[in-house]
Amino acid sequence: MSEALEKAREWEKMHCRTAVEKPFFHVCAPTGWINDPNGFSQYKGEYHLFYQYHPYNKHWGPMHWGHSKTDDFIKWLQMPCAMAPDEAFDGQGCFSGSAVEFQGKHVLMYTGVTQKEKDGKIVINQNQCIAFGDGKDYIKYPYNPVITAQQMPQGSSKEDFRDPKIWKDNDKFYTIIGSRGEDGSGQLGLFESEDIVNWKFVTILERCENRYGKMWECPDFFEIGDTAVIIVSPQEMQAEGLEFHNGGGTLALVGNYNKKEHLFQRKKVTAVDYGLDFYAPQTLKSEDGRRIMIGWMQNWDTYLVPENMTWSGIMTIPRQLEIRDGSLYQNPVRELENYYSNEVKIGKVRLEGERSFEGINGRSIDLTVEIYEDGKSEFSIRFASNEYFYSEIIYSPEKEILTFDRTYSGLVKDVISRRSMKVKKREGRIKVRLLLDRYTVEIFVNDGEQAMSSLIYTSLDAEKIMFYGDGSVISILKYDVVL
């Protein structure tokens, strides 16, 4: 073990946050800072999640790989730091990547960052490296990097070449890697290997062509049935209506894939999540065949973490992905139901003004509200509420727009607090599912047709939930989530 990795592990032992501070069923930083999920994979019957990690303070710094594992996607065990930037090929950072099992080993594939001075300027290079491990300890391949930017087509960036997603198909391994092309915008390079250490360039699988942001980070590629999906996180997006917002977003490119020709045919491009805090998701295939996705629940441009907190960074609930009518649907993994308690059901009731219901409150709950009839004006749910603070979901039946607003959640900085999305009625109604876990707010509309993820750092004693409507007819189903 290197001195840098040993130092990180010792720091974790001394500074790991207490259970009182953390969410109940969401992965969060053990100490310091975390961002992108990495290496989300199955190995020897357990599911592993790594993440970009700076253990020494709650801001981005030299990137390590933090590590957690689970057997049900809900209860997570904190593992020791897996990698530190401690080699000549990754001395400026072990950036994002993925993982796969091979010959009994857990193989991590990641971006190693190096820099040197040339002609008075700092030159940064990003190349792909691997490490072999046993689920706890990992040894970096001595002949790293295994893929270099020089293998990409002429004109491709040497600095922006990162975030490999690896998978196995029949007897070959494949990886897609985010890059910038000659036009300065995002492209995805596809590589293949028979032995996981020797790789050759295959093709450019997809290109941005300056249509959706610039650099495409953290790509993922998978198939659900006959449908192929590429997920990317573009930088420098510009807003388009309510579908795409400014800054760093996440897109799903849905289409078909010809494996023989390595040709992806794009049919649809949509946002993956419409919330204020969602980026860089990664997926795995579960033991029972489900495609499971987890994302980083934060926004690069909006930093909300209170001064008194010693850590920064939370992941979303793992979500089951499905394709329905050519669109990507997502819902919390069904294992969450094993932790339900205190069911409360409210049959159809007409709202006339403000209303609360006995047993419907809390900050660790799964709450579903169905809106059957349009009222005369907007319908809203206020939650994480007390006499001073609240966050709010607002539904406009006339405009068919759903909005999340955390303006009054206790923020003391002028940050983005409100975001909206267009929703569709299904058989004259909409269904809104609200999943709360202390600081996290995840909204799923119409059985997963759309999702909206955001953070709130409201005082944890704010637990009230209020419903507002002028003629709206609703029903409610609520569970506490207890671990």
Side-chain angles (χ1 to χ4, degrees):
M1 184 187 306
S2 71
E3 183 178 339
L5 183 56
E6 186 175 10
K7 178 184 174 184
R9 289 186 172 187
E10 286 301 317
W11 183 271
E12 284 178 329
K13 291 177 183 177
M14 295 174 62
H15 296 88
C16 197
R17 45 88 181 112
T18 66
V20 175
E21 294 181 293
K22 68 177 185 175
F24 291 114
F25 54 94
H26 285 69
V27 173
C28 68
T31 182
W33 161 282
I34 68 172
N35 58 280
D36 307 352
N38 297 159
F40 191 36
S41 57
Q42 185 181 22
Y43 176 67
K44 292 189 174 179
E46 295 179 307
Y47 299 105
H48 292 257
L49 176 68
F50 304 83
Y51 28 83
Q52 292 289 273
Y53 180 35
H54 182 232
Y56 303 114
N57 63 57
K58 60 181 182 180
H59 297 279
W60 191 94
M63 285 289 95
H64 299 55
W65 271 37
H67 186 193
S68 300
K69 70 176 184 178
T70 183
D71 59 11
D72 71 353
F73 300 113
I74 304 298
K75 278 189 174 180
W76 293 88
L77 176 66
Q78 187 63 52
M79 299 294 289
C81 181
M83 289 194 295
D86 53 15
E87 297 286 353
F89 47 76
D90 63 14
Q92 274 62 56
C94 300
F95 276 18
S96 290
S98 50
V100 69
E101 186 171 349
F102 178 56
Q103 295 182 345
K105 295 291 186 180
H106 200 203
V107 184
L108 310 184
M109 189 174 201
Y110 68 101
T111 299
V113 184
T114 62
Q115 69 179 40
K116 62 182 179 181
E117 187 174 333
K118 184 178 181 180
D119 300 328
K121 297 181 180 180
I122 298 298
V123 178
I124 296 174
N125 283 287
Q126 298 179 350
N127 296 299
Q128 315 319 315
C129 304
I130 58 175
F132 298 89
D134 60 3
K136 179 185 177 184
D137 298 308
Y138 294 83
I139 299 173
K140 295 173 183 176
Y141 184 56
Y143 303 108
N144 279 328
V146 295
I147 302 175
T148 69
Q150 281 72 22
Q151 293 172 254
M152 290 287 287
Q154 187 174 0
S156 298
S157 172
K158 305 298 186 292
E159 179 176 344
D160 291 316
F161 179 57
R162 57 185 175 268
D163 310 336
K165 175 59 190 285
I166 187 173
W167 72 94
K168 188 177 184 183
D169 190 1
N170 294 321
D171 296 327
K172 288 187 178 180
F173 292 95
Y174 294 91
T175 186
I176 54 169
I177 304 167
S179 168
R180 281 188 193 262
E182 195 168 10
D183 65 354
S185 70
Q187 61 182 11
L188 303 178
L190 177 68
F191 291 77
E192 69 178 12
S193 172
E194 295 181 355
D195 62 5
I196 221 164
V197 295
N198 294 289
W199 293 83
K200 67 177 182 179
F201 174 77
V202 177
T203 189
I204 296 296
L205 190 63
E206 256 288 16
R207 288 181 172 85
C208 173
E209 296 177 336
N210 289 298
R211 173 63 182 85
Y212 297 104
K214 295 294 184 180
M215 173 65 183
W216 279 359
E217 293 196 305
C218 303
D220 201 339
F221 179 60
F222 55 88
E223 293 177 282
I224 300 177
D226 296 329
T227 301
V229 180
I230 294 174
I231 291 180
V232 292
S233 293
Q235 296 177 319
E236 303 173 61
M237 279 282 288
Q238 291 185 330
E240 294 185 22
L242 297 181
E243 186 65 27
F244 306 122
H245 60 79
N246 293 325
T250 305
L251 309 180
L253 288 65
V254 181
N256 296 323
Y257 182 55
N258 181 324
K259 291 185 180 181
K260 188 174 182 180
E261 303 294 331
H262 300 295
L263 179 65
F264 177 79
Q265 183 181 16
R266 183 196 309 178
K267 290 187 173 181
K268 179 186 294 187
V269 181
T270 62
V272 176
D273 190 289
Y274 296 82
L276 292 159
D277 298 291
F278 186 88
Y279 197 72
Q282 193 168 103
T283 73
L284 61 73
K285 191 173 184 179
S286 68
E287 183 69 28
D288 57 8
R290 290 173 293 163
R291 179 60 55 173
I292 309 295
M293 178 181 73
I294 193 168
W296 179 44
M297 207 166 175
Q298 198 156 299
N299 183 327
W300 284 114
D301 296 327
T302 303
Y303 188 75
L304 303 177
V305 181
E307 290 296 326
N308 64 341
M309 294 184 74
T310 61
W311 55 274
S312 173
I314 304 174
M315 299 299 172
T316 66
I317 189 76
R319 303 170 181 180
Q320 302 171 184
L321 302 183
E322 299 176 78
I323 297 293
R324 301 182 200 165
D325 299 323
S327 296
L328 189 68
Y329 279 64
Q330 54 189 300
N331 284 290
V333 289
R334 59 173 177 253
E335 287 84 350
L336 184 66
E337 299 170 11
N338 297 328
Y339 299 93
Y340 281 173
S341 181
N342 303 322
E343 178 186 275
V344 177
K345 284 184 177 181
I346 307 293
K348 288 185 179 180
V349 59
R350 185 177 296 276
L351 293 178
E352 301 290 349
E354 176 185 312
R355 181 79 183 269
S356 62
F357 298 92
E358 185 176 352
I360 297 182
N361 52 49
R363 292 285 288 276
S364 179
I365 66 169
D366 193 346
L367 173 72
T368 298
V369 180
E370 292 197 63
I371 306 166
Y372 294 91
E373 296 178 25
D374 297 344
K376 300 172 185 176
S377 59
E378 293 178 338
F379 164 79
S380 67
I381 308 170
R382 291 185 177 179
F383 53 91
S385 173
N386 59 19
E387 59 182 313
Y388 304 108
F389 308 123
Y390 65 87
S391 293
E392 190 170 24
I393 297 169
I394 305 157
Y395 171 59
S396 171
E398 182 179 357
K399 297 179 181 178
E400 293 189 325
I401 291 175
L402 186 136
T403 300
F404 168 74
D405 191 341
R406 64 183 175 199
T407 302
Y408 302 103
S409 64
L411 294 169
V412 295
K413 296 181 180 179
D414 185 12
V415 299
I416 299 171
S417 296
R418 185 179 173 99
R419 188 157 286 156
S420 300
M421 64 182 176
K422 189 79 173 177
V423 298
K424 298 177 182 178
K425 295 177 185 176
R426 300 300 182 195
E427 299 178 353
R429 62 185 182 182
I430 72 163
K431 182 187 290 187
V432 178
R433 183 178 179 183
L434 173 63
L435 187 64
L436 297 179
D437 187 9
R438 286 188 163 177
Y439 313 113
T440 66
V441 180
E442 293 168 275
I443 302 163
F444 302 89
V445 175
N446 291 337
D447 297 311
E449 186 175 20
Q450 290 161 292
M452 180 180 270
S453 305
S454 304
L455 292 171
I456 55 170
Y457 286 104
T458 311
S459 172
L460 294 177
D461 60 4
E463 295 189 322
K464 291 182 181 178
I465 297 177
M466 305 294 295
F467 300 84
Y468 298 81
D470 186 7
S472 301
V473 176
I474 64 170
S475 65
I476 304 170
L477 175 62
K478 168 258 176 184
Y479 297 96
D480 291 337
V481 181
V482 180
L483 271 66

